Amino acid sequence: LGHLFRLPSGFNVRRNWLTQLSSLDGATGKKTYSPQVGDSVVYIPKAHYDTIQKFPTGGNSSVPWKTWPTNSPLPVVRCTVKDIRYRFPYDDYYRRRGEEDDRCTSLVAILSLVVTGIPEFSTNRVFPWPKPEFISRQTRSSSLSFEVSIFLNSCLDFILPENLYLWRIQKLEAAIGANNNDPVGLDITSYYNEHTNTEDSVFKTYASKILQMNVSEDESEYHFQHSGYDALRIAWQTGNEEGNESFLCAWEAIPTEYSSQFPSYPTLSEGEKDAIISSLDELEEEDEFKSWFSLPVNTSQYSDYPNMIEVPMSLSFIRRRIEEGYYSNKLSVAADMKLIMVNSAKYNGASEITDSARDMYSRFMESCEQIGEIGSPSSRRQQSNITSSEEYTSSSVINPAPRQDLLPARSSARFSQRNDVNVNGNTGANSGRNAMAYRMTQ
């Protein structure tokens, strides 16, 4: 299968989940999560398998767990996002006939992941999922790295922010423990993107009650065992689905008593923000940097730009993200700066503009050394290592929305976006971003 290198005229793709200005809702599970370079995430092979079944690409690169060691099961692993590349949809899946859920009409984000933590198991554990903590993976052999592709679809998410995954599991275990270690009867809240063909929007809540915890798993795949996948049999308590039974994964279930709370999430410090803004100010003192890269490309003048560039990026958009608290760490800012260079190389080829973009990126990276070791794994872990006690309470409790159709689509939209570079000295207006959020895949 191949990605569309260029969108044909009249084709539209969903991009909004990758062009978010704020990461709050995505990092806390209320909206599509858009991974950032440097993020600490949890990868769940069994959930990934669901997406592969629906959108197969072939080859072991699509099933990374097939090459993993088998001295102990790895149903969930903690990873650091080392790099993200963006592509237009797979041609075959974009053109596929049938229901919208069977097509891929969103951008694809290809994540390069490195495993940094493995689950801990104990013989007397009563829950059918790993402890909500990870053991740092230390080995003299080569690092365990792999790639996965995510895009909006109706399958279960298999990449979650580490802080969100751990917080949900901890709260679920706490609620079960407070109920005399009996999960039956616990009220549960779940978040779902009810309409997968709409713009990037806040998910709706759905209420349910636990009927049973499934302790045993019949999994032939070694690394699927004890993941917590479909570990809870529940009865919906919302709208037309009241009384209907279904299953939830452990990381989907939020005890309703905690539904107005969400985990904290990593962000840049005020000092880091100020230092990065100062660096951008210095760059924009250069006339060529300011004229070519400050503002988004004028797509009225360069109408083919959205069909060539997946995720446009500009210095003004980076500034807005900093102001809105989007970035989780310095690596993510650097990735957006790099994207300006990558986009220019794709659209302009070898040219004065691309040479200038490369020079601007190099100078930005040099200035970032004054902030800290931007490529250091240790600094990256400090940014994303959130303790379980850190959380906040939302200003208002979100009430479950009545169901009007069938069970909610098991997905929490994902998307990736590339950012745009100004062309030929144009200082154009904001380019239109009419993209939609959906969910992730492979």
Side-chain angles (χ1 to χ4, degrees):
L1 292 175
H3 294 275
L4 291 166
F5 177 77
R6 175 181 180 139
L7 280 181
S9 178
F11 278 38
N12 294 311
V13 293
R14 299 180 172 97
R15 320 181 193 234
N16 274 11
W17 68 286
L18 294 175
T19 57
Q20 297 170 350
L21 286 173
S22 171
S23 60
L24 170 62
D25 288 338
T28 56
K30 295 169 60 180
K31 202 174 182 180
T32 299
Y33 169 57
S34 176
Q36 302 180 37
V37 172
D39 277 1
S40 186
V41 300
V42 174
Y43 168 69
I44 308 168
K46 172 62 177 176
H48 187 190
Y49 179 74
D50 283 357
T51 302
I52 293 174
Q53 290 293 98
K54 189 168 185 176
F55 299 95
T57 57
N60 273 352
S61 61
S62 298
V63 286
W65 61 87
K66 290 289 188 181
T67 61
W68 289 0
T70 56
N71 53 318
S72 64
L74 300 175
V76 297
V77 291
R78 185 184 67 200
C79 304
T80 292
V81 181
K82 298 288 289 185
D83 187 44
I84 304 177
R85 307 190 308 278
Y86 304 109
R87 296 292 183 267
F88 287 120
Y90 298 102
D91 191 8
D92 287 356
Y93 295 144
Y94 189 97
R95 302 174 189 270
R96 178 188 278 181
R97 296 180 180 274
E99 299 295 328
E100 183 69 21
D101 284 357
D102 295 326
R103 301 175 63 221
C104 172
T105 56
S106 90
L107 292 182
V108 178
I110 303 173
L111 310 183
S112 296
L113 304 175
V114 175
V115 176
T116 61
I118 59 178
E120 179 181 357
F121 292 96
S122 60
T123 56
N124 61 347
R125 184 159 175 77
V126 299
F127 299 110
W129 52 78
K131 290 183 178 179
E133 57 189 57
F134 289 97
I135 304 171
S136 294
R137 185 178 186 272
Q138 297 178 343
T139 175
R140 295 180 180 178
S141 61
S142 60
S143 61
L144 187 59
S145 59
F146 58 98
E147 289 191 341
V148 296
S149 298
I150 63 175
F151 53 88
L152 301 180
N153 64 82
S154 59
C155 300
L156 183 66
D157 279 345
F158 58 85
I159 296 286
L160 284 83
E162 179 194 7
N163 60 305
L164 178 63
Y165 172 87
L166 294 178
W167 183 86
R168 285 183 173 179
I169 297 294
Q170 289 163 355
K171 295 306 182 186
L172 178 60
E173 292 187 3
I176 293 175
N179 197 42
N180 297 319
N181 291 323
D182 184 4
V184 176
L186 283 181
D187 292 321
I188 295 295
T189 297
S190 303
Y191 287 88
Y192 293 106
N193 187 14
E194 185 177 35
H195 301 292
T196 54
N197 60 345
T198 60
E199 290 286 343
D200 186 28
S201 57
V202 174
F203 298 153
K204 291 188 176 181
T205 57
Y206 295 91
S208 63
K209 191 178 291 289
I210 297 179
L211 301 178
Q212 180 184 7
M213 183 169 67
N214 302 316
V215 177
S216 62
E217 289 182 286
D218 184 18
E219 290 287 359
S220 58
E221 186 67 49
Y222 186 64
H223 292 302
F224 290 175
Q225 298 174 10
H226 313 299
S227 67
Y229 179 91
D230 279 358
L232 305 173
R233 185 166 64 91
I234 57 98
W236 295 110
Q237 304 292 304
T238 304
N240 295 335
E241 295 304 319
E242 184 171 355
N244 287 356
E245 296 184 10
S246 185
F247 292 89
L248 289 179
C249 300
W251 58 88
E252 293 181 285
I254 306 170
T256 300
E257 61 186 293
Y258 299 110
S259 62
S260 62
Q261 301 175 0
F262 300 96
S264 60
Y265 64 103
T267 59
L268 293 172
S269 68
E270 291 303 315
E272 289 171 328
K273 290 180 182 180
D274 290 342
I276 293 172
I277 289 294
S278 294
S279 177
L280 296 178
D281 289 342
E282 291 180 7
L283 290 174
E284 291 193 277
E285 290 177 357
E286 300 284 342
D287 289 340
E288 65 178 30
F289 295 162
K290 184 175 182 178
S291 62
W292 282 335
F293 310 123
S294 285
L295 298 177
V297 169
N298 185 342
T299 54
S300 296
Q301 183 174 358
Y302 301 96
S303 59
D304 62 337
Y305 195 82
N307 292 60
M308 285 287 293
I309 300 302
E310 295 90 340
V311 178
M313 187 55 63
S314 63
L315 295 178
S316 63
F317 191 69
I318 292 173
R319 286 180 180 274
R320 291 182 64 193
R321 279 185 158 180
I322 293 173
E323 293 168 358
E324 296 292 335
Y326 172 82
Y327 294 111
S328 62
N329 64 93
K330 299 181 293 290
L331 291 169
S332 181
V333 185
D336 274 357
M337 290 294 294
K338 181 180 178 181
L339 191 54
I340 293 177
M341 178 181 67
V342 170
N343 288 350
S344 180
K346 181 176 181 180
Y347 189 78
N348 301 307
S351 64
E352 180 183 357
I353 299 177
T354 299
D355 289 342
S356 181
R358 186 176 294 108
D359 180 38
M360 183 178 70
Y361 172 67
S362 177
R363 289 171 59 175
F364 176 80
M365 294 301 289
E366 290 176 1
S367 68
C368 280
E369 292 180 0
Q370 301 176 14
I371 304 174
E373 295 295 329
I374 198 163
S376 167
S378 59
S379 66
R380 189 159 56 246
R381 287 294 306 143
Q382 290 173 0
Q383 283 292 320
S384 58
N385 187 16
I386 302 300
T387 62
S388 61
S389 62
E390 295 174 312
E391 59 187 33
Y392 70 90
T393 303
S394 62
S395 57
S396 60
V397 177
I398 302 175
N399 295 318
R403 296 294 310 275
Q404 300 298 327
D405 50 4
L406 299 177
L407 295 177
R410 300 190 62 179
S411 63
S412 62
R414 290 217 172 176
F415 219 60
S416 294
Q417 163 205 7
R418 249 185 221 185
N419 294 299
D420 48 0
V421 188
N422 268 0
V423 181
N424 296 336
N426 172 56
T427 59
N430 289 336
S431 58
R433 296 187 182 89
N434 51 355
M436 325 255 302
Y438 207 37
R439 199 196 160 168
M440 337 192 325
T441 295
Q442 293 196 43

